[in-house]
Amino acid sequence: MADTKREIERKYEGPPAGGDAPLPDLTSVPGVSGVIDKGVAELDATYYDTADQRLATASLTLRRRTGGDDAGWHLKLPVSEGVRDEIRAPLSDTVPEDLTALVRSRIREAELVPVVRLLSARDIRHLVDASGTLLAEVSVDRVRAERLSGGAGSAEWTEIEVELADDGDPAFLDKVEKKLRKAGIKRSASASKLAKALDDTAPRKPGKAGKARTTGKVADMSKATTKAAKPEPVDSTPRTAGDHILTYVRAQRDAIVELDPAVRRDVPDSVHRMRVATRRLRSTFRSYGKILDRTVTDPIGVELKWLAAELGVDRDQEVLTEHLTTALDDLPSDLVTGPVQARLSTWSGARRSGSRQHLIAVLDGKRYLDLLTTLDTLVAGPPLCEAASKKPEKVIAKAVRKDFKKVADLVGEALELPPGSERDLAMHDARKKAKRTRYAAEAATPALADPAADLVKSMKSLQTLLGDHQDSVMVRGALRELATEAHAAGENAFTYGVLYGRAEQRAAAVEAELPGEWEAIEDKGAV
């Protein structure tokens, strides 16, 4: 089984390979009481990627390494600058299936092949405090890189790494860096050893001996070549309506791809965030049909709706369990009769386990991977309508106002209905439309500024209120199911009835609050 380690490190340039790489006296770094020489480790790492370097493009690295105290397979996923999650798996002759799955959204059906081999002599030192606790590991690496595919070049260099100890304070790295800078040691220009290796061993242009081919540079990841998963260049100052909407579309496409590994690893909130990205994208296609041709985007919207539903199987169960658990915890003990907590745990666990397995199967399936490829194709060649070339202030604002009117109509219909199942459905429809309007306003904010941002806040407030009502509907349905199971097992169902009554009261409170909330929103109006 693969395990995960959070890696926080910084890289610095050393002298040319073969030269001395003296470090300053690190005992003078505040907090350091000793520097322990741990000797030299010989490391042999082979890095894998697709032929067009899709992992490198996304700043992901996958390697098989021997030597040192962590031999095995390592997949490094970027978290933020200088921070990566390293997923480890035992040594094997082929790429472990667990790690291949984590890069599936990047590589799709492409084969992973060896691209670079790095041979490193790592001179290791431990920085410890007065109690002997490890603060950081400092290493001087003398590296030789050999290109294994896409060329046959080689390169040598020396670099310095400073890796923070587990659970260490990241501010300590600033103290070490201050000392290194005073000694004339500067940060590495390359994001990783792999980036430098790919850059330095890139094939050279004919007649340009001594200069690496520009397209081989991976230090600037946005320039690396890939077809299936390459982020499109984003204009930082969109001018037309199409520019603005495409910027938002690209961001949601990127979010889906980037969240895939986190969803597979069951990282908290990752399913929800991925589901939101799919909904934002689908809503954008529907709201801005005057900008992006709906004959093209509607079929994609069907697939996005399917993906959101599949993600919802897991997410909805997670949220429902949280609501039921909180409601049960809030009950006085004398109102809890029978094994309610045990039944809730069993009921939730059975559905959670099944939904997780199903979701992973979805992410491994052809339909999902085809959807990702379709999104790449759309971003690369967007189906722009005539209105896309117009100024955003008019085209985008009109689309947002149209969505807002639909919300107004649905809220009005819900308020005219008596309490009951029909009103529940009407309020749920209004919630979905409020969410769509919120996403349309999000996409519009860079173009329309404060009016769109204000509408986002209004729709978020309305969405939250209506969401509380829908949660009550779902909780009451689950409680009916649990009560039926408890009764069939000969258990006392009293507590489920109490919880049902409380959920019903919460729904009534929302319905009473809705008219005033909506009146305030209407007074503000749309963009």
Side-chain angles (χ1 to χ4, degrees), residues 341-474:
Q341 183 61 65
R343 178 159 295 282
L344 174 57
S345 296
T346 301
W347 174 84
S348 175
R351 285 156 180 77
R352 172 77 170 151
S353 175
S355 62
R356 279 295 304 168
Q357 294 173 6
H358 176 73
L359 179 56
I360 297 304
V362 167
L363 298 184
D364 286 334
K366 185 176 185 300
R367 184 174 182 179
Y368 167 70
L369 297 177
D370 284 349
L371 171 58
L372 297 185
T373 301
T374 299
L375 292 176
D376 290 337
T377 301
L378 179 136
V379 167
L384 297 175
C385 299
E386 182 179 350
S389 61
K390 297 181 179 179
K391 292 183 178 181
E393 291 78 7
K394 182 176 180 180
V395 178
I396 292 179
K398 183 178 180 180
V400 175
R401 286 194 295 269
K402 182 178 179 181
D403 278 348
F404 182 81
K405 185 178 184 307
K406 291 179 181 178
V407 175
D409 292 342
L410 288 171
V411 171
E413 290 174 12
L415 292 175
E416 291 175 358
L417 292 169
S421 58
E422 286 190 29
R423 174 180 269 196
D424 290 345
L425 289 173
M427 292 180 70
H428 184 46
D429 287 342
R431 174 179 176 245
K432 290 189 291 185
K433 194 64 66 177
K435 191 180 300 184
R436 173 175 158 183
T437 305
R438 172 189 167 188
Y439 297 153
E442 283 180 354
T445 298
L448 306 182
D450 289 346
D454 290 342
L455 183 58
V456 171
K457 293 178 182 177
S458 294
M459 290 298 100
K460 186 175 181 180
S461 176
L462 178 62
Q463 179 188 330
T464 299
L465 185 64
L466 295 174
D468 289 344
H469 186 275
Q470 179 62 16
D471 288 342
S472 170
V473 173
M474 298 300 293

Side-chain angles (χ1 to χ4, degrees), residues 135-164:
L135 299 172
E137 179 178 284
V138 180
S139 63
V140 179
D141 295 346
R142 292 177 172 82
V143 185
R144 175 176 173 78
E146 300 173 355
R147 191 85 170 207
L148 302 178
S149 64
S154 63
E156 295 184 7
W157 70 90
T158 300
E159 70 178 37
I160 298 167
E161 282 189 8
V162 182
E163 181 175 349
L164 189 68

Side-chain angles (χ1 to χ4, degrees), residues 88-330:
R88 297 176 175 179
L91 276 176
S92 61
D93 293 335
T94 58
V95 182
E97 291 184 6
D98 287 353
L99 300 189
T100 301
L102 292 177
V103 298
R104 181 66 67 199
S105 66
R106 300 289 183 180
I107 67 172
R108 315 291 162 79
E109 300 301 327
E111 182 184 4
L112 289 168
V113 297
V115 292
V116 166
R117 183 185 184 191
L118 297 183
L119 301 171
S120 304
R122 170 163 289 180
D123 190 357
I124 305 169
R125 295 165 178 79
H126 283 181
L127 307 186
V128 298
D129 63 13
S131 67
T133 300
L134 179 65
L135 299 172
E137 179 178 284
V138 180
S139 63
V140 179
D141 295 346
R142 292 177 172 82
V143 185
R144 175 176 173 78
E146 300 173 355
R147 191 85 170 207
L148 302 178
S149 64
S154 63
E156 295 184 7
W157 70 90
T158 300
E159 70 178 37
I160 298 167
E161 282 189 8
V162 182
E163 181 175 349
L164 189 68
D166 294 346
D167 301 319
D169 181 1
F172 177 70
L173 295 181
D174 294 332
K175 299 176 182 178
V176 177
E177 178 162 315
K178 184 177 181 180
K179 186 66 177 178
L180 295 177
R181 284 187 176 276
K182 284 184 177 180
I185 298 171
K186 61 182 181 179
R187 286 277 195 107
S188 174
S190 298
S192 66
K193 285 185 176 66
L194 175 62
K196 182 170 178 59
L198 290 172
D199 188 5
D200 290 356
T201 65
R204 310 189 186 284
K205 287 184 178 181
K208 296 288 184 178
K211 291 187 178 181
R213 187 176 64 181
T214 305
T215 54
K217 290 184 177 291
V218 184
D220 177 1
M221 292 298 179
S222 66
K223 295 182 180 178
T225 56
T226 179
K227 293 181 180 179
K230 176 183 176 181
E232 295 297 316
V234 177
D235 187 348
S236 60
T237 56
R239 294 175 299 277
T240 67
D243 290 333
H244 281 280
I245 300 310
L246 285 175
T247 296
Y248 192 75
V249 166
R250 290 187 187 101
Q252 307 320 312
R253 186 279 309 267
D254 291 348
I256 293 171
V257 173
E258 290 166 5
L259 284 165
D260 180 290
V263 171
R264 293 174 185 270
R265 294 164 57 204
D266 204 14
V267 173
D269 204 40
S270 59
V271 172
H272 172 63
R273 291 165 59 203
M274 188 174 186
R275 191 183 188 192
V276 167
T278 65
R279 285 175 162 175
R280 281 175 168 150
L281 197 49
R282 179 169 176 258
S283 292
T284 301
F285 290 158
R286 298 181 70 183
S287 295
Y288 294 106
K290 296 294 185 182
I291 294 174
L292 293 171
D293 186 353
R294 288 193 60 171
T295 63
V296 176
T297 62
D298 277 359
I300 303 175
V302 171
E303 295 304 287
L304 289 168
K305 183 179 181 179
W306 160 79
L307 178 58
E310 296 290 4
L311 291 165
V313 171
D314 196 53
R315 173 62 181 171
D316 290 346
Q317 182 61 43
E318 180 184 346
V319 171
L320 187 55
T321 299
E322 289 175 359
H323 283 304
L324 288 168
T325 300
T326 300
L328 183 59
D329 290 343
D330 288 343

